[in-house]
Amino acid sequence: MLRINDLHASIGDKEILKGINLTVRPGEVHAIMGPNGSGKSTLSAVLAGKDTFTVTSGEVRYQDEDLLALSPEERSWRGIFLGFQYPTEIPGVTNVNFMKTALNEHRKYQGLPPITAAEFLKLMRQKMEIVEMDPAFSSRGVNVGFSGGEKKRNEIFQMAMLEPKLAILDETDSGLDVDALRIVATGVNRLKRPDNATLVITHYQRLLDYIVPDVVHILYKGRIIKTAGKELALEVEQRGYDWLIKEL
Amino acid sequence: MNDLYTLASGTPNRPRFNCRVPLENSRQLFLVDGLVQETGKSFSFRLQKGQVMEELLQVIAVRSDEGPNELTYSNELFFGENTFGRLLCCAHAFTQGPVSTQETVSIQLEANAQAEIIVMQHEHNEATHKTRFVVNQAAGSQLKMVFLSLHGASIENNIEVNLQGEHANCDLSGLYLADGQQRIANHLRLFHHVPDCQSSQLFKGILDDEAVGHFSGKITVVPDAQRTDAFQANHNLLLSQQARIHTDPQLEIYADDVKCSHGATVGRLQPEELFYLRSRGIPKKEAELLQQLAFAYAVLEKIPNEILRERMMEMVEKRLRGGC
């Protein structure tokens, strides 16, 4: 589904990703862990198409296409979804209008007619339930005045609406209390299907108590320095990252 | 019943012009080249003491081919004591070629009168329209005005407000959109002559191409006008390198117990917002449009009538999409 080969990316003169290799198959959950500043968020932003980063070499194949040649919206239509670490507030654009526009663009790409207002509201209500979101949020500005937990729920709600094939969750656990974490993680698990994949980017192990990964990668200074099964996350939780860095 | 109602409720000839904002449950009155279509006289609107208008009155001022190239006219809006009235004043030009209009609008609100006035300026690329609004408000009166400057070669609004009676409240807001080589200016002078009045000004503009905008707003609070509450903000979005806005907010305060604030900003579309929208599958152009509509919304939401507000939003969207 996703194959990253020797990916290098910079911001300005500073190289942040220094040769990433990663393969994700349908149905898999991958966790990417690493200390602050290792490049985790850069990797997710590059995969979603954020233009503040420049890819200097390497390639990313996604469903047999050159992902890097596509605009952020084209990636979205093909099933890439980025759950933001810091979801953006957009005053004046209501959640309803935002999601309706987004969903209809996806439908247009799939050759489907725009969704009717009634169908849309029904769908929206169903998907809001998945993350226990108050329907009152739908008429509010996107993320405006939302608490940290509400913003993250809104991310998973959007994911539920768009049904991505590859979801990249960038530090979705940051700033969440235990209840919010459980709600968000339950939401992600309910959206899991054999034909989609999830890339969970996290600093801590605790999210992985809820979203169990098939593979864990440790990212350090722009490279993946270790890849193993889910037990690696537990080891990192107990011993920190230092022993891994020393092994290099 | 005043003259106006007689005029508007009669069975006039079908107007020759199709209104761009046809509204159900509203009365329409056409001013052709500054004169009332049915009577050929100048327009004067008067609500006598205690009168409450249930419907919206839409005054549609059009420039026709028969009018002079340079036209000057004045009209008067009078709201007597304890009255309530709502007006939508639209300006259109159904002419070919350049025309210029100079208009003076006197607005008088007597004690405890309440008025809502929406001004929509929607002419064409060769139309120059300069309007001077002179507002006088007596004690306890409440005025809400929304100015939508959507289209014109050059639009200039000079707005003077005199708060002359205690507890008067004046809420002005404006949205201006300009592209190509259009010019748009809003000059506001707001005088707090007496204590305990409130005023608010929120003007927002979106300028593209080589458009140039001007905003100046001055609030004057005289020495005795204690407990004045005055607010002013001017925010601008520039969509191109060449678009310009000159903004000049001013406060002149001679009283010591007042609450006054002002602020002006000039900015561009936020790249973080844009990426967020695009990452959900909204194409760049559409995402930028959403951002602009969101920017405009703070002014549009001031329109009290929901149907009218939605119509205006549609018009703004159409305009921002490059139509007119």
Side-chain angles (χ1 to χ4, degrees):
Chain A
M1 174 178 266
L2 180 77
R3 204 177 71 242
I4 305 176
N5 285 329
D6 195 29
L7 181 69
H8 291 250
S10 312
I11 182 161
D13 293 337
K14 194 166 184 264
E15 185 170 60
I16 298 176
L17 300 183
K18 300 171 182 171
I20 301 278
N21 292 292
L22 182 70
T23 301
V24 180
R25 291 174 195 84
E28 290 181 345
V29 176
H30 287 237
I32 298 184
M33 302 181 73
N36 285 330
S38 56
K40 303 189 298 290
S41 287
T42 302
L43 176 62
S44 57
V46 167
L47 292 177
K50 190 166 188 180
D51 62 7
T52 32
F53 301 97
T54 314
V55 173
T56 46
S57 67
E59 70 161 356
V60 181
R61 303 293 299 177
Y62 170 72
Q63 294 184 327
D64 289 325
E65 270 190 288
D66 176 7
L67 185 73
L68 301 175
L70 303 173
S71 67
E73 53 269 35
E74 288 168 330
R75 297 181 199 200
S76 174
W77 301 334
R78 285 160 175 78
I80 301 258
F81 178 90
L82 172 63
F84 283 61
Q85 183 179 4
Y86 303 108
T88 312
E89 294 187 11
I90 314 180
V93 178
T94 60
N95 255 334
V96 177
N97 197 9
F98 171 46
M99 265 303 103
K100 199 171 177 185
T101 309
L103 188 67
N104 279 333
E105 291 293 344
H106 280 251
R107 290 175 66 93
K108 197 196 280 178
Y109 176 75
Q110 292 157 8
L112 297 169
I115 191 165
T116 66
E119 280 175 328
F120 178 76
L121 287 175
K122 194 175 151 203
L123 185 70
M124 193 148 167
R125 233 173 283 131
Q126 280 172 4
K127 304 294 186 183
M128 281 183 137
E129 268 175 35
I130 294 180
V131 285
E132 299 174 30
M133 206 166 145
D134 183 345
F137 282 89
S138 53
S139 54
R140 285 169 52 178
V142 176
N143 294 322
V144 179
F146 287 29
S147 71
E150 286 160 353
K151 283 182 182 171
K152 296 298 171 75
R153 285 193 217 184
N154 198 20
E155 293 294 287
I156 306 307
F157 158 70
Q158 293 170 34
M159 175 176 157
M161 291 293 286
L162 301 175
E163 301 185 328
K165 292 196 176 72
L166 175 65
I168 304 158
L169 305 175
D170 185 12
E171 308 241 3
T172 295
D173 50 337
S174 70
L176 292 188
D177 59 33
V178 177
D179 290 332
L181 186 70
R182 179 189 49 79
I183 292 167
V184 163
T186 308
V188 171
N189 288 331
R190 279 181 63 182
L191 298 171
K192 197 79 212 69
R193 289 201 317 241
D195 61 339
N196 62 19
T198 313
L199 205 55
V200 183
I201 290 170
T202 181
H203 189 77
Y204 301 104
Q205 192 270 337
R206 60 173 196 163
L207 178 63
L208 305 178
D209 286 340
Y210 300 92
I211 304 172
V212 182
D214 299 301
V215 189
V216 176
H217 308 273
I218 306 298
L219 188 64
Y220 178 69
K221 289 191 174 170
R223 283 192 192 91
I224 288 173
I225 56 169
K226 193 169 182 75
T227 295
K230 63 182 176 213
E231 65 287 350
L232 179 59
L234 287 167
E235 207 167 352
V236 165
E237 178 78 358
Q238 283 156 13
R239 300 173 63 190
Y241 292 108
D242 287 351
W243 64 279
L244 282 165
I245 295 163
K246 280 182 193 133
E247 272 185 7
L248 286 177
Chain B
M1 279 291 168
N2 58 46
D3 286 346
L4 166 87
Y5 272 120
T6 324
L7 274 179
S9 60
T11 46
N13 304 328
R14 297 290 303 167
R16 288 180 295 145
F17 309 102
N18 288 321
C19 177
R20 297 186 192 203
V21 192
L23 276 177
E24 299 82 17
N25 303 321
S26 72
R27 290 168 194 240
Q28 296 188 348
L29 181 87
F30 283 80
L31 292 187
V32 181
D33 298 318
L35 300 173
V36 177
Q37 191 184 25
E38 289 80 7
T39 62
K41 292 181 183 163
S42 63
F43 174 59
S44 165
F45 169 89
R46 295 185 78 82
L47 279 186
Q48 306 299 351
K49 189 173 174 177
Q51 254 189 306
V52 173
M53 265 171 81
E54 282 170 14
E55 294 161 305
L56 178 86
L57 175 70
Q58 188 177 8
V59 182
I60 304 154
V62 294
R63 292 300 310 270
S64 76
D65 282 326
E66 286 118 60
N69 277 347
E70 291 184 21
L71 175 72
T72 303
Y73 67 94
S74 2
N75 47 51
E76 190 195 0
L77 310 177
F78 177 88
F79 300 83
E81 252 178 71
N82 294 305
T83 52
F84 173 73
R86 293 184 296 151
L87 278 95
L88 166 63
C89 304
C90 311
H92 300 296
F94 290 87
T95 53
Q96 311 280 320
V99 283
S100 91
T101 309
Q102 289 218 33
E103 189 186 350
T104 304
V105 184
S106 310
I107 302 172
Q108 176 76 35
L109 271 75
E110 295 293 301
N112 301 314
Q114 289 183 42
E116 293 169 7
I117 304 171
I118 316 294
V119 176
M120 190 185 65
Q121 298 163 323
H122 200 304
E123 296 185 334
H124 60 57
N125 277 340
E126 292 184 81
T128 300
H129 201 122
K130 200 169 168 177
T131 313
R132 182 171 142 76
F133 296 90
V134 182
V135 179
N136 291 307
Q137 286 188 246
S141 62
Q142 293 181 32
L143 173 66
K144 184 167 200 167
M145 283 187 85
V146 182
F147 298 83
L148 301 169
S149 306
L150 302 185
H151 208 159
S154 172
I155 298 174
E156 185 178 324
N157 294 317
N158 291 292
I159 305 161
E160 179 191 312
V161 177
N162 294 290
L163 298 173
Q164 294 167 324
E166 291 175 9
H167 300 287
N169 181 314
C170 179
D171 183 342
L172 304 177
S173 44
L175 174 69
Y176 45 94
L177 310 177
D179 58 4
Q181 305 213 325
Q182 294 170 359
R183 300 284 177 270
I184 168 78
N186 285 292
H187 302 293
L188 285 84
R189 293 280 281 133
L190 217 140
F191 294 92
H192 281 260
H193 295 289
V194 293
D196 296 304
C197 290
Q198 297 174 326
S199 68
S200 166
Q201 305 164 43
L202 173 66
F203 278 71
K204 300 187 86 168
I206 304 176
L207 297 117
D208 200 356
D209 304 329
E210 293 165 23
V212 180
H214 283 87
F215 175 86
S216 70
K218 188 173 181 182
I219 302 170
T220 304
V221 181
V222 307
D224 290 337
Q226 301 295 1
R227 296 171 303 280
T228 285
D229 187 345
F231 165 84
Q232 182 194 82
N234 174 233
H235 301 298
N236 298 281
L237 204 50
L238 300 182
L239 302 181
S240 74
Q241 289 295 325
Q242 291 77 32
R244 293 272 178 279
I245 176 76
H246 304 271
T247 175
D248 183 16
Q250 297 176 52
L251 293 178
E252 202 175 276
I253 303 171
Y254 299 102
D256 50 20
D257 181 15
V258 300
K259 200 173 125 194
C260 290
S261 63
H262 68 171
T265 60
V266 181
R268 298 190 184 277
L269 292 173
Q270 291 294 315
E272 298 294 325
E273 290 182 6
L274 186 63
F275 177 64
Y276 192 70
L277 295 167
R278 294 178 73 188
S279 78
R280 299 301 183 246
I282 302 175
K284 185 162 181 274
K285 275 199 101 65
E286 209 56 35
E288 288 173 344
L289 183 79
L290 269 183
Q291 287 181 283
Q292 293 170 44
L293 283 171
F295 179 84
Y297 187 69
V299 172
L300 293 167
E301 73 176 349
K302 294 248 190 184
I303 298 173
N305 180 316
E306 196 184 325
I307 300 163
L308 182 58
R309 184 167 64 236
E310 278 174 17
R311 285 290 161 78
M312 291 299 175
M313 285 182 72
E314 283 166 23
M315 294 203 57
V316 167
E317 180 172 342
K318 203 170 157 197
R319 175 71 174 96
L320 290 171
R321 282 185 191 278
C324 52

